[in-house]
Amino acid sequence: MCWSYRLAGPPDPVLVANVRWLAGYRHPRYAAGPWMSALLEVFGSPRPAEEAVCELGDPIAVWPAVFHALWSGVLRVRLDEPLHERAVVCLTRQEAEAA
């Protein structure tokens, strides 16, 4: 048996900040509910989040559903780049195959 080890550095601060932000929307009360089918449709192809949110309706109601879908893995975004309203969001592969 051969033992090996590797040194791990601190996590990327951008990744940590993004995951911390999305974790705030992990509670089921933010689940898309009536928005789910609309989210699946509007993010069927990659597009900036702000465009899709404005298309769906009142941003105050839609953003939490988008963040919850990102947290729960329904939607996907690059977490190694700062999250912002123009970040490109799309369906995860599993959701796209199911649609």
Side-chain angles (χ1 to χ4, degrees), residues 23-59:
Y25 293 90
R26 68 184 177 265
H27 194 278
R29 73 175 163 261
Y30 298 112
W35 299 105
M36 182 56 75
S37 61
L39 283 175
L40 295 177
E41 184 178 327
V42 78
F43 286 111
S45 59
R47 63 189 296 192
E50 182 181 42
E51 286 179 11
V53 167
C54 289
E55 186 178 310
L56 288 172
D58 179 15

Side-chain angles (χ1 to χ4, degrees), residues 2-90:
C2 179
W3 290 88
S4 65
Y5 67 94
R6 64 183 180 154
L7 296 176
D12 176 29
V14 172
L15 175 69
V16 171
N18 289 339
V19 171
R20 187 171 287 140
W21 174 262
L22 293 176
Y25 293 90
R26 68 184 177 265
H27 194 278
R29 73 175 163 261
Y30 298 112
W35 299 105
M36 182 56 75
S37 61
L39 283 175
L40 295 177
E41 184 178 327
V42 78
F43 286 111
S45 59
R47 63 189 296 192
E50 182 181 42
E51 286 179 11
V53 167
C54 289
E55 186 178 310
L56 288 172
D58 179 15
I60 297 296
V62 179
W63 275 116
V66 170
F67 293 143
H68 181 79
L70 287 166
W71 172 261
S72 62
V74 173
L75 298 177
R76 179 173 54 134
V77 69
R78 289 196 56 160
L79 292 175
D80 59 345
E81 297 175 355
L83 282 177
H84 54 87
E85 68 277 355
R86 302 293 303 161
V88 176
V89 177
C90 63

